[in-house]
Amino acid sequence: MKSLNTDQHGHLQNRQDWNQQVAQQLADTDHIILTDDHWALIRAVQDLFDETGDTPPMRLLIKVLRQRLDPAIDSRHLYRLYPDGPVRLASKHAGLPKPKHCM
């Protein structure tokens, strides 16, 4: 297991350190097994971050996921993937900073 340089919340300090293996390692620390649905969410969060320079709030994330992936996606779907906080954990596993709007 590679030693990761993270902040006090477990988010990578340097996004350039991110890759799929690192994402899996971060997910392992949260006891999450990444599925195809997790990876789609991770990629969407990364894309939104690249487009806006910030992690998306839940409502914007759902709107974008509905447009890009599946019109049926809702907050329940995201909470099934990440029961302890979809935006925070998806951002963490995507190698992004802790969202400003998350506790």
XYZ file of all heavy atoms in Angstrom:
839
model
N 0.850 -1.183 0.000
C 0.000 0.000 0.000
C 0.893 1.244 0.000
O 1.786 1.376 0.816
C -0.928 -0.023 1.214
C -2.012 1.010 1.150
S -3.172 0.923 2.535
C -4.391 -0.170 1.844
N 0.637 2.129 -0.940
C 1.408 3.355 -1.084
C 1.023 4.351 0.013
O -0.148 4.510 0.349
C 1.112 3.951 -2.468
C 1.846 5.221 -2.754
C 1.473 5.751 -4.132
C 2.072 7.124 -4.330
N 1.652 7.737 -5.574
N 2.026 5.035 0.559
C 1.774 6.075 1.547
C 1.256 7.315 0.816
O 1.883 7.793 -0.131
C 3.071 6.390 2.301
O 2.853 7.443 3.194
N 0.110 7.823 1.262
C -0.519 8.961 0.601
C -0.362 10.216 1.440
O -0.479 10.182 2.662
C -2.003 8.679 0.372
C -2.340 7.470 -0.497
C -3.846 7.263 -0.531
C -1.785 7.647 -1.892
N -0.140 11.323 0.773
C -0.025 12.616 1.422
C -1.427 13.242 1.441
O -1.898 13.759 0.434
C 0.962 13.486 0.640
C 1.564 14.570 1.492
O 1.322 14.642 2.686
N 2.348 15.415 0.859
N -2.093 13.163 2.612
C -3.472 13.644 2.722
C -3.582 14.737 3.787
O -2.718 14.875 4.642
C -4.425 12.490 3.092
O -4.023 11.917 4.338
C -4.442 11.414 2.021
N -4.698 15.467 3.708
C -4.979 16.475 4.732
C -5.649 15.807 5.933
O -5.815 14.587 5.967
C -5.831 17.617 4.160
C -7.233 17.189 3.754
O -7.679 16.070 4.112
O -7.909 17.978 3.069
N -6.075 16.611 6.901
C -6.666 16.063 8.125
C -7.996 15.344 7.878
O -8.464 14.591 8.727
C -6.827 17.143 9.204
C -7.877 18.191 8.900
C -7.348 19.386 8.144
O -6.381 19.303 7.397
N -7.993 20.531 8.334
N -8.607 15.551 6.699
C -9.876 14.903 6.374
C -9.685 13.689 5.467
O -10.668 13.072 5.060
C -10.823 15.897 5.704
C -11.061 17.126 6.516
N -11.813 17.121 7.672
C -10.625 18.398 6.363
C -11.838 18.342 8.187
N -11.127 19.134 7.416
N -8.426 13.370 5.124
C -8.142 12.215 4.278
C -8.157 12.494 2.792
O -8.057 11.577 1.982
N -8.264 13.779 2.405
C -8.241 14.150 0.991
C -6.788 14.342 0.549
O -5.963 14.845 1.320
C -9.011 15.456 0.755
C -10.482 15.300 0.950
N -11.369 15.238 -0.092
C -11.231 15.173 2.079
C -12.596 15.092 0.383
N -12.533 15.053 1.694
N -6.493 13.954 -0.700
C -5.143 14.122 -1.211
C -4.727 15.588 -1.151
O -5.519 16.478 -1.462
C -5.056 13.657 -2.672
C -5.081 12.173 -2.943
C -4.976 11.917 -4.451
C -3.968 11.449 -2.211
N -3.487 15.804 -0.789
C -2.960 17.177 -0.777
C -2.592 17.621 -2.190
O -2.634 18.806 -2.491
C -1.751 17.251 0.142
C -2.123 16.946 1.570
C -1.535 17.918 2.563
O -0.838 18.840 2.213
N -1.826 17.690 3.817
N -2.236 16.658 -3.046
C -1.816 16.987 -4.402
C -2.593 16.107 -5.376
O -2.398 14.902 -5.416
C -0.310 16.748 -4.533
C 0.236 17.176 -5.872
O -0.513 17.530 -6.780
N 1.541 17.132 -5.993
N -3.444 16.710 -6.172
C -4.284 15.945 -7.104
C -3.454 15.146 -8.098
O -3.892 14.103 -8.578
C -5.231 16.881 -7.840
C -6.183 16.114 -8.740
C -7.212 17.001 -9.372
N -8.055 16.233 -10.261
C -8.804 16.787 -11.180
N -8.836 18.095 -11.323
N -9.543 16.029 -11.961
N -2.252 15.612 -8.404
C -1.403 14.899 -9.362
C -1.010 13.511 -8.846
O -0.584 12.668 -9.624
C -0.151 15.709 -9.701
C -0.409 16.889 -10.633
C -1.249 17.995 -9.999
O -1.100 18.327 -8.815
N -2.170 18.549 -10.763
N -1.181 13.263 -7.551
C -0.896 11.941 -6.982
C -2.018 10.948 -7.265
O -1.871 9.754 -7.005
C -0.709 12.036 -5.458
C 0.533 12.804 -5.068
O 1.449 12.958 -5.909
O 0.589 13.262 -3.907
N -3.163 11.428 -7.803
C -4.333 10.581 -7.977
C -4.201 9.657 -9.181
O -3.717 10.046 -10.240
C -5.587 11.438 -8.151
C -6.840 10.618 -8.180
C -7.600 10.276 -7.114
C -7.473 10.030 -9.319
N -8.672 9.498 -7.522
C -8.604 9.331 -8.870
C -7.173 10.010 -10.681
C -9.455 8.633 -9.726
C -8.015 9.309 -11.539
C -9.144 8.632 -11.053
N -4.650 8.447 -9.012
C -4.899 7.501 -10.095
C -5.933 6.517 -9.569
O -6.376 6.626 -8.424
C -3.608 6.811 -10.577
C -2.906 6.028 -9.483
O -3.538 5.339 -8.683
N -1.584 6.136 -9.420
N -6.335 5.551 -10.386
C -7.390 4.636 -9.954
C -6.962 3.787 -8.757
O -7.776 3.491 -7.890
C -7.832 3.746 -11.106
C -8.670 4.500 -12.112
C -9.300 3.590 -13.145
O -8.816 2.491 -13.416
N -10.386 4.046 -13.737
N -5.698 3.433 -8.700
C -5.210 2.651 -7.564
C -5.287 3.478 -6.272
O -5.671 2.973 -5.221
C -3.773 2.208 -7.835
C -3.243 1.190 -6.871
C -1.874 0.675 -7.304
O -1.219 1.227 -8.177
N -1.439 -0.388 -6.665
N -4.935 4.749 -6.367
C -5.033 5.640 -5.209
C -6.492 5.794 -4.793
O -6.821 5.763 -3.608
C -4.383 7.011 -5.521
C -4.735 8.048 -4.473
C -2.872 6.869 -5.655
N -7.385 5.940 -5.771
C -8.816 6.045 -5.459
C -9.284 4.818 -4.690
O -10.016 4.935 -3.701
C -9.626 6.211 -6.746
N -8.850 3.641 -5.131
C -9.245 2.413 -4.447
C -8.686 2.382 -3.029
O -9.361 1.977 -2.092
C -8.781 1.187 -5.235
C -9.316 -0.115 -4.675
C -10.831 -0.170 -4.692
O -11.457 -0.134 -5.734
N -11.448 -0.256 -3.515
N -7.442 2.845 -2.876
C -6.827 2.883 -1.547
C -7.600 3.830 -0.622
O -7.856 3.508 0.539
C -5.359 3.318 -1.680
C -4.562 3.184 -0.418
C -3.082 3.484 -0.634
O -2.578 3.429 -1.752
N -2.397 3.829 0.429
N -7.983 4.997 -1.139
C -8.775 5.939 -0.342
C -10.140 5.339 0.002
O -10.624 5.469 1.134
C -8.952 7.257 -1.103
C -7.693 8.103 -1.290
C -7.935 9.203 -2.308
C -7.222 8.667 0.039
N -10.758 4.670 -0.964
C -12.061 4.042 -0.720
C -11.935 2.929 0.322
O -12.830 2.765 1.160
C -12.631 3.495 -2.027
N -10.836 2.194 0.276
C -10.618 1.128 1.262
C -10.623 1.688 2.681
O -11.157 1.062 3.596
C -9.295 0.403 1.001
C -9.326 -0.482 -0.240
O -10.430 -0.757 -0.769
O -8.234 -0.881 -0.690
N -10.046 2.877 2.859
C -10.014 3.475 4.197
C -11.418 3.837 4.682
O -11.647 3.959 5.879
C -9.115 4.736 4.263
O -9.687 5.762 3.463
C -7.692 4.425 3.824
N -12.359 4.016 3.721
C -13.754 4.331 4.056
C -14.644 3.092 3.987
O -15.868 3.214 4.072
C -14.288 5.408 3.099
C -13.570 6.727 3.264
O -13.339 7.133 4.418
O -13.225 7.355 2.240
N -14.038 1.926 3.776
C -14.770 0.656 3.691
C -15.794 0.672 2.556
O -16.923 0.203 2.711
C -15.438 0.312 5.028
C -14.505 0.408 6.186
N -13.471 -0.487 6.388
C -14.390 1.312 7.177
C -12.788 -0.144 7.459
N -13.326 0.956 7.964
N -15.380 1.244 1.417
C -16.220 1.320 0.222
C -15.558 0.491 -0.873
O -14.362 0.657 -1.152
C -16.359 2.782 -0.274
C -16.969 3.686 0.793
C -17.110 2.849 -1.594
C -18.445 3.577 0.985
N -16.324 -0.378 -1.490
C -15.855 -1.118 -2.665
C -16.370 -0.371 -3.887
O -17.584 -0.218 -4.070
C -16.379 -2.570 -2.655
C -15.817 -3.301 -1.438
C -16.015 -3.279 -3.954
C -16.450 -4.646 -1.177
N -15.454 0.128 -4.706
C -15.834 0.950 -5.846
C -16.421 0.092 -6.966
O -15.778 -0.836 -7.451
C -14.632 1.750 -6.351
C -14.057 2.757 -5.354
C -12.833 3.450 -5.947
C -15.098 3.777 -4.935
N -17.638 0.437 -7.367
C -18.334 -0.226 -8.468
C -18.297 0.686 -9.695
O -17.819 1.834 -9.620
C -19.797 -0.494 -8.087
O -20.458 0.779 -7.926
C -19.909 -1.312 -6.807
N -18.854 0.224 -10.802
C -18.934 1.071 -11.998
C -19.702 2.355 -11.711
O -19.352 3.419 -12.225
C -19.609 0.312 -13.140
C -18.725 -0.792 -13.716
O -17.497 -0.786 -13.460
O -19.266 -1.665 -14.422
N -20.740 2.276 -10.877
C -21.506 3.477 -10.528
C -20.651 4.468 -9.727
O -20.746 5.684 -9.930
C -22.765 3.115 -9.730
C -23.857 2.510 -10.594
O -23.798 2.632 -11.834
O -24.783 1.908 -10.022
N -19.812 3.955 -8.833
C -18.896 4.834 -8.099
C -17.944 5.525 -9.070
O -17.706 6.731 -8.964
C -18.070 4.043 -7.078
C -18.834 3.581 -5.889
N -19.426 2.335 -5.838
C -19.103 4.177 -4.705
C -20.024 2.188 -4.663
N -19.843 3.293 -3.955
N -17.375 4.749 -9.997
C -16.412 5.330 -10.945
C -17.065 6.400 -11.816
O -16.459 7.436 -12.098
C -15.776 4.234 -11.806
C -14.794 3.409 -11.043
C -14.898 2.086 -10.716
C -13.549 3.850 -10.482
N -13.806 1.682 -9.987
C -12.962 2.743 -9.831
C -12.880 5.066 -10.457
C -11.734 2.813 -9.170
C -11.654 5.141 -9.800
C -11.094 4.037 -9.173
N -18.314 6.187 -12.231
C -19.022 7.198 -13.024
C -19.194 8.477 -12.211
O -19.013 9.593 -12.724
C -20.378 6.659 -13.484
N -19.531 8.329 -10.932
C -19.686 9.490 -10.046
C -18.343 10.187 -9.838
O -18.256 11.423 -9.903
C -20.286 9.039 -8.720
C -20.484 10.102 -7.649
C -21.330 11.266 -8.151
C -21.114 9.476 -6.403
N -17.297 9.431 -9.616
C -15.955 9.998 -9.425
C -15.542 10.798 -10.655
O -15.063 11.929 -10.549
C -14.939 8.883 -9.101
C -15.172 8.372 -7.676
C -13.505 9.363 -9.297
C -14.430 7.094 -7.343
N -15.731 10.230 -11.846
C -15.363 10.942 -13.079
C -16.188 12.223 -13.241
O -15.667 13.261 -13.646
C -15.521 10.029 -14.293
C -14.401 9.008 -14.418
C -14.451 8.253 -15.740
N -15.639 7.418 -15.865
C -15.758 6.191 -15.365
N -14.756 5.657 -14.704
N -16.867 5.511 -15.533
N -17.471 12.151 -12.914
C -18.333 13.337 -13.031
C -17.882 14.438 -12.073
O -17.845 15.616 -12.449
C -19.791 12.959 -12.774
N -17.534 14.068 -10.849
C -17.060 15.058 -9.873
C -15.744 15.674 -10.352
O -15.550 16.892 -10.255
C -16.927 14.408 -8.472
C -16.199 15.320 -7.514
C -18.293 14.060 -7.921
N -14.856 14.861 -10.895
C -13.593 15.389 -11.425
C -13.855 16.339 -12.589
O -13.252 17.417 -12.665
C -12.680 14.250 -11.890
C -12.068 13.467 -10.768
C -11.278 12.267 -11.261
O -11.606 11.655 -12.278
N -10.231 11.929 -10.529
N -14.743 15.953 -13.501
C -15.069 16.814 -14.646
C -15.638 18.152 -14.188
O -15.247 19.212 -14.694
C -16.064 16.120 -15.579
C -15.461 14.954 -16.348
O -14.215 14.808 -16.360
O -16.248 14.169 -16.927
N -16.567 18.105 -13.235
C -17.161 19.352 -12.723
C -16.107 20.224 -12.051
O -16.113 21.445 -12.202
C -18.299 19.051 -11.755
C -19.628 18.732 -12.406
C -20.605 18.170 -11.383
C -20.204 19.978 -13.048
N -15.208 19.596 -11.306
C -14.134 20.350 -10.662
C -13.261 21.014 -11.722
O -12.901 22.187 -11.598
C -13.295 19.433 -9.769
C -12.256 20.168 -8.971
C -12.564 20.707 -7.739
C -10.959 20.325 -9.459
C -11.611 21.398 -6.999
C -10.006 21.011 -8.727
C -10.335 21.548 -7.497
N -12.930 20.276 -12.777
C -12.098 20.838 -13.847
C -12.804 21.986 -14.568
O -12.167 22.950 -14.980
C -11.711 19.748 -14.851
C -10.748 18.725 -14.267
O -10.102 19.009 -13.230
O -10.652 17.621 -14.845
N -14.125 21.890 -14.707
C -14.897 22.923 -15.396
C -15.098 24.166 -14.544
O -15.110 25.281 -15.060
C -16.266 22.367 -15.809
C -16.195 21.300 -16.883
C -17.506 20.531 -17.041
O -18.566 21.014 -16.568
O -17.468 19.434 -17.633
N -15.281 23.978 -13.226
C -15.670 25.106 -12.372
C -14.591 25.526 -11.373
O -14.686 26.598 -10.788
C -16.940 24.772 -11.566
O -16.637 23.709 -10.648
C -18.088 24.354 -12.478
N -13.611 24.646 -11.117
C -12.584 24.946 -10.129
C -13.021 24.683 -8.704
O -12.341 25.068 -7.755
N -14.178 24.018 -8.546
C -14.688 23.743 -7.204
C -15.441 22.419 -7.221
O -15.878 21.963 -8.272
C -15.631 24.867 -6.764
C -15.761 24.990 -5.256
O -15.145 24.196 -4.520
O -16.486 25.895 -4.813
N -15.589 21.837 -6.044
C -16.399 20.629 -5.946
C -17.870 21.026 -5.989
O -18.251 22.058 -5.436
C -16.094 19.860 -4.651
O -16.185 20.757 -3.555
C -14.716 19.240 -4.688
N -18.689 20.215 -6.646
C -20.087 20.609 -6.839
C -20.943 20.362 -5.604
O -20.756 19.373 -4.902
C -20.543 19.685 -7.972
C -19.705 18.460 -7.792
C -18.369 18.957 -7.304
N -21.886 21.254 -5.346
C -22.885 20.951 -4.318
C -23.810 19.851 -4.844
O -23.887 19.592 -6.046
C -23.637 22.272 -4.133
C -23.360 23.058 -5.358
C -22.063 22.573 -5.929
N -24.502 19.188 -3.949
C -25.329 18.024 -4.297
C -26.315 18.318 -5.424
O -26.430 17.540 -6.367
C -26.073 17.537 -3.049
C -26.996 16.370 -3.310
S -26.154 14.822 -3.607
C -26.187 14.151 -1.981
N -27.028 19.423 -5.347
C -28.062 19.713 -6.354
C -27.462 19.852 -7.746
O -28.013 19.344 -8.719
C -28.846 20.961 -5.975
C -29.723 20.733 -4.743
C -30.413 21.971 -4.316
N -31.568 22.187 -5.199
C -32.523 23.032 -4.947
N -32.486 23.768 -3.864
N -33.526 23.158 -5.769
N -26.328 20.549 -7.852
C -25.676 20.697 -9.152
C -25.157 19.348 -9.642
O -25.290 19.007 -10.820
C -24.525 21.702 -9.068
C -23.667 21.828 -10.332
C -24.513 22.285 -11.520
C -22.517 22.787 -10.094
N -24.589 18.568 -8.745
C -24.072 17.253 -9.119
C -25.197 16.373 -9.676
O -25.038 15.742 -10.720
C -23.407 16.579 -7.920
C -22.841 15.181 -8.168
C -21.785 15.201 -9.259
C -22.271 14.612 -6.872
N -26.331 16.349 -9.012
C -27.463 15.544 -9.484
C -27.926 16.035 -10.851
O -28.175 15.237 -11.759
C -28.607 15.546 -8.455
C -28.189 14.743 -7.222
C -29.889 14.968 -9.062
C -29.138 14.866 -6.047
N -28.012 17.339 -11.020
C -28.440 17.904 -12.301
C -27.506 17.455 -13.421
O -27.953 17.017 -14.485
C -28.465 19.435 -12.204
C -28.859 20.125 -13.476
C -28.857 21.632 -13.302
C -29.185 22.324 -14.613
N -29.133 23.776 -14.484
N -26.213 17.547 -13.185
C -25.231 17.168 -14.204
C -25.267 15.663 -14.461
O -25.210 15.221 -15.610
C -23.818 17.640 -13.787
C -22.747 17.045 -14.666
C -23.760 19.162 -13.814
N -25.380 14.869 -13.404
C -25.448 13.414 -13.580
C -26.683 13.020 -14.387
O -26.619 12.118 -15.226
C -25.459 12.714 -12.219
C -24.157 12.783 -11.424
C -24.362 12.235 -10.022
C -23.032 12.049 -12.139
N -27.785 13.690 -14.147
C -29.009 13.408 -14.914
C -28.812 13.734 -16.385
O -29.269 13.004 -17.261
C -30.185 14.202 -14.356
C -30.721 13.652 -13.063
C -31.840 14.494 -12.521
N -32.417 13.879 -11.324
C -33.224 14.499 -10.503
N -33.588 15.761 -10.731
N -33.691 13.868 -9.445
N -28.125 14.843 -16.667
C -27.892 15.245 -18.053
C -26.891 14.324 -18.746
O -27.067 13.963 -19.899
C -27.361 16.680 -18.110
C -28.354 17.724 -17.703
C -27.721 19.101 -17.537
O -26.502 19.245 -17.485
N -28.558 20.119 -17.442
N -25.840 13.943 -18.035
C -24.730 13.221 -18.666
C -24.842 11.703 -18.587
O -24.296 11.009 -19.439
C -23.406 13.656 -18.046
C -23.112 15.122 -18.279
C -21.799 15.528 -17.691
N -21.591 16.960 -17.824
C -20.535 17.607 -17.372
N -19.574 16.956 -16.751
N -20.426 18.908 -17.542
N -25.501 11.191 -17.543
C -25.495 9.738 -17.333
C -26.878 9.103 -17.404
O -27.080 8.136 -18.141
C -24.856 9.401 -15.979
C -23.400 9.804 -15.788
C -22.953 9.471 -14.374
C -22.510 9.108 -16.797
N -27.801 9.602 -16.578
C -29.090 8.922 -16.453
C -30.108 9.877 -15.842
O -29.913 10.352 -14.723
C -28.920 7.687 -15.561
C -30.184 6.874 -15.385
O -31.271 7.320 -15.813
O -30.081 5.784 -14.810
N -31.194 10.154 -16.549
C -32.205 11.076 -16.020
C -32.854 10.613 -14.715
O -33.466 11.403 -14.011
C -33.260 11.151 -17.130
C -32.656 10.531 -18.327
C -31.508 9.686 -17.892
N -32.695 9.333 -14.374
C -33.332 8.798 -13.164
C -32.474 8.970 -11.903
O -32.924 8.650 -10.809
C -33.658 7.322 -13.364
N -31.245 9.464 -12.037
C -30.371 9.613 -10.865
C -30.962 10.640 -9.909
O -31.410 11.713 -10.314
C -28.945 10.021 -11.295
C -28.266 8.826 -11.959
C -28.127 10.504 -10.105
C -26.889 9.121 -12.509
N -30.954 10.267 -8.632
C -31.428 11.181 -7.596
C -30.527 11.047 -6.365
O -29.575 10.267 -6.359
C -32.903 10.926 -7.255
C -33.163 9.521 -6.725
O -32.197 8.779 -6.425
O -34.342 9.160 -6.590
N -30.840 11.804 -5.327
C -29.998 11.775 -4.132
C -30.006 10.396 -3.478
O -28.992 9.968 -2.924
C -30.423 12.848 -3.138
O -31.742 12.640 -2.706
N -31.112 9.677 -3.552
C -31.155 8.325 -2.961
C -30.121 7.413 -3.625
O -29.464 6.621 -2.945
C -32.557 7.722 -3.073
C -33.563 8.359 -2.129
C -34.900 7.630 -2.144
N -35.434 7.430 -3.486
C -36.282 8.246 -4.103
N -36.711 9.332 -3.492
N -36.725 7.988 -5.302
N -30.004 7.519 -4.932
C -29.007 6.724 -5.662
C -27.607 7.041 -5.149
O -26.812 6.137 -4.889
C -29.106 7.011 -7.172
C -28.025 6.396 -7.976
N -27.987 5.055 -8.287
C -26.909 6.943 -8.524
C -26.903 4.797 -8.988
N -26.237 5.922 -9.151
N -27.315 8.321 -4.980
C -25.980 8.729 -4.519
C -25.726 8.280 -3.086
O -24.623 7.850 -2.753
C -25.808 10.239 -4.652
C -25.929 10.790 -6.078
C -25.643 12.281 -6.089
C -25.024 10.060 -7.052
N -26.741 8.348 -2.238
C -26.585 7.896 -0.848
C -26.474 6.374 -0.744
O -25.884 5.871 0.215
C -27.712 8.426 0.043
C -27.415 9.809 0.572
C -27.981 10.929 -0.009
C -26.529 9.990 1.633
C -27.693 12.203 0.458
C -26.234 11.259 2.114
C -26.817 12.359 1.518
O -26.520 13.615 1.983
N -26.995 5.639 -1.727
C -26.770 4.188 -1.737
C -25.298 3.897 -2.028
O -24.729 2.941 -1.493
C -27.668 3.501 -2.763
C -29.080 3.267 -2.253
C -29.875 2.332 -3.149
N -30.175 2.877 -4.464
C -31.184 3.695 -4.744
N -32.009 4.077 -3.786
N -31.374 4.130 -5.966
N -24.681 4.716 -2.864
C -23.259 4.535 -3.180
C -22.385 4.975 -2.010
O -21.398 4.317 -1.675
C -22.885 5.348 -4.431
C -23.569 4.944 -5.730
C -23.216 5.930 -6.839
C -23.191 3.524 -6.120
N -22.722 6.111 -1.442
C -21.927 6.717 -0.371
C -22.843 7.146 0.774
O -23.221 8.321 0.877
C -21.172 7.931 -0.898
C -20.018 7.631 -1.805
C -20.028 8.027 -3.137
C -18.881 6.987 -1.323
C -18.949 7.776 -3.965
C -17.800 6.730 -2.146
C -17.832 7.132 -3.459
O -16.754 6.879 -4.270
N -23.225 6.220 1.645
C -24.172 6.546 2.720
C -23.695 7.650 3.664
O -24.517 8.353 4.242
C -24.313 5.222 3.486
C -23.872 4.164 2.541
C -22.866 4.800 1.640
N -22.393 7.824 3.797
C -21.878 8.818 4.744
C -21.586 10.170 4.110
O -20.889 10.985 4.705
C -20.613 8.287 5.433
C -20.919 7.114 6.342
O -22.057 7.039 6.856
O -20.032 6.277 6.534
N -22.087 10.421 2.918
C -21.889 11.723 2.278
C -21.380 11.591 0.859
O -20.174 11.505 0.646
N -22.283 11.570 -0.115
C -21.886 11.340 -1.504
C -20.905 12.358 -2.066
O -19.902 11.971 -2.680
C -23.204 11.396 -2.276
C -24.273 11.229 -1.274
C -23.723 11.675 0.034
N -21.144 13.626 -1.870
C -20.268 14.631 -2.468
C -18.892 14.608 -1.795
O -17.860 14.616 -2.465
C -20.896 16.041 -2.399
C -19.930 17.093 -2.896
C -22.188 16.082 -3.213
N -18.887 14.539 -0.482
C -17.606 14.537 0.246
C -16.770 13.317 -0.103
O -15.589 13.431 -0.432
C -17.854 14.603 1.755
C -16.570 14.679 2.577
C -16.866 14.744 4.074
N -17.643 13.632 4.562
C -17.128 12.433 4.874
N -15.842 12.215 4.744
N -17.907 11.476 5.323
N -17.383 12.138 -0.065
C -16.609 10.923 -0.310
C -16.244 10.760 -1.783
O -15.137 10.329 -2.104
C -17.350 9.704 0.216
C -17.374 9.605 1.739
C -18.264 8.463 2.200
C -15.971 9.448 2.301
N -17.141 11.116 -2.685
C -16.798 11.050 -4.109
C -15.653 12.015 -4.420
O -14.737 11.679 -5.171
C -18.016 11.356 -4.975
N -15.681 13.197 -3.809
C -14.587 14.159 -3.995
C -13.282 13.602 -3.444
O -12.223 13.714 -4.065
C -14.916 15.486 -3.318
O -16.039 16.082 -3.921
N -13.367 12.994 -2.277
C -12.177 12.402 -1.666
C -11.600 11.317 -2.558
O -10.403 11.306 -2.848
C -12.541 11.822 -0.296
C -11.398 11.123 0.411
C -11.873 10.558 1.739
C -10.789 9.762 2.431
N -11.283 9.152 3.681
N -12.439 10.416 -3.040
C -11.972 9.307 -3.863
C -11.535 9.774 -5.249
O -10.788 9.080 -5.932
C -13.041 8.223 -3.957
C -13.396 7.674 -2.617
N -14.550 6.964 -2.388
C -12.762 7.736 -1.410
C -14.602 6.612 -1.111
N -13.531 7.081 -0.496
N -11.983 10.966 -5.647
C -11.590 11.558 -6.928
C -10.280 12.340 -6.827
O -9.808 12.891 -7.814
C -12.702 12.473 -7.443
N -9.722 12.409 -5.621
C -8.461 13.124 -5.440
C -8.620 14.626 -5.309
O -7.664 15.371 -5.499
N -9.823 15.063 -4.980
C -10.129 16.497 -4.898
C -10.162 16.959 -3.458
O -10.320 16.156 -2.532
C -11.481 16.759 -5.565
C -11.580 16.315 -7.017
C -12.992 16.497 -7.534
C -10.579 17.045 -7.879
N -10.074 18.278 -3.247
C -10.145 18.803 -1.880
C -11.526 18.574 -1.267
O -12.506 18.359 -1.977
C -9.894 20.300 -2.043
C -9.626 20.563 -3.462
C -9.865 19.316 -4.239
N -11.567 18.647 0.052
C -12.843 18.542 0.771
C -13.740 19.691 0.314
O -13.319 20.839 0.283
C -12.602 18.627 2.274
C -13.855 18.519 3.109
C -13.501 18.538 4.588
C -14.722 18.540 5.463
N -15.356 19.843 5.523
N -14.977 19.378 -0.065
C -15.887 20.439 -0.488
C -16.094 21.475 0.613
O -16.262 21.123 1.777
C -17.179 19.689 -0.785
C -16.758 18.283 -1.062
C -15.567 18.054 -0.180
N -16.116 22.737 0.224
C -16.289 23.820 1.186
C -17.658 23.760 1.853
O -17.825 24.162 2.986
C -16.146 25.172 0.470
C -14.776 25.423 -0.072
C -14.727 26.714 -0.852
C -13.401 26.830 -1.555
N -13.529 27.108 -2.967
N -18.642 23.244 1.139
C -20.014 23.223 1.636
C -20.330 21.980 2.452
O -21.463 21.798 2.868
C -21.007 23.352 0.456
C -20.664 22.455 -0.688
N -20.970 21.132 -0.720
C -19.983 22.717 -1.822
C -20.520 20.597 -1.833
N -19.916 21.533 -2.516
N -19.352 21.092 2.666
C -19.572 19.880 3.478
C -18.978 20.061 4.858
O -17.915 20.626 5.026
C -18.935 18.664 2.802
S -19.744 18.164 1.287
N -19.677 19.523 5.844
C -19.212 19.610 7.230
C -18.005 18.707 7.422
O -17.840 17.713 6.859
C -20.309 19.188 8.189
C -21.527 20.026 8.063
S -21.218 21.635 8.699
C -22.515 21.798 9.855
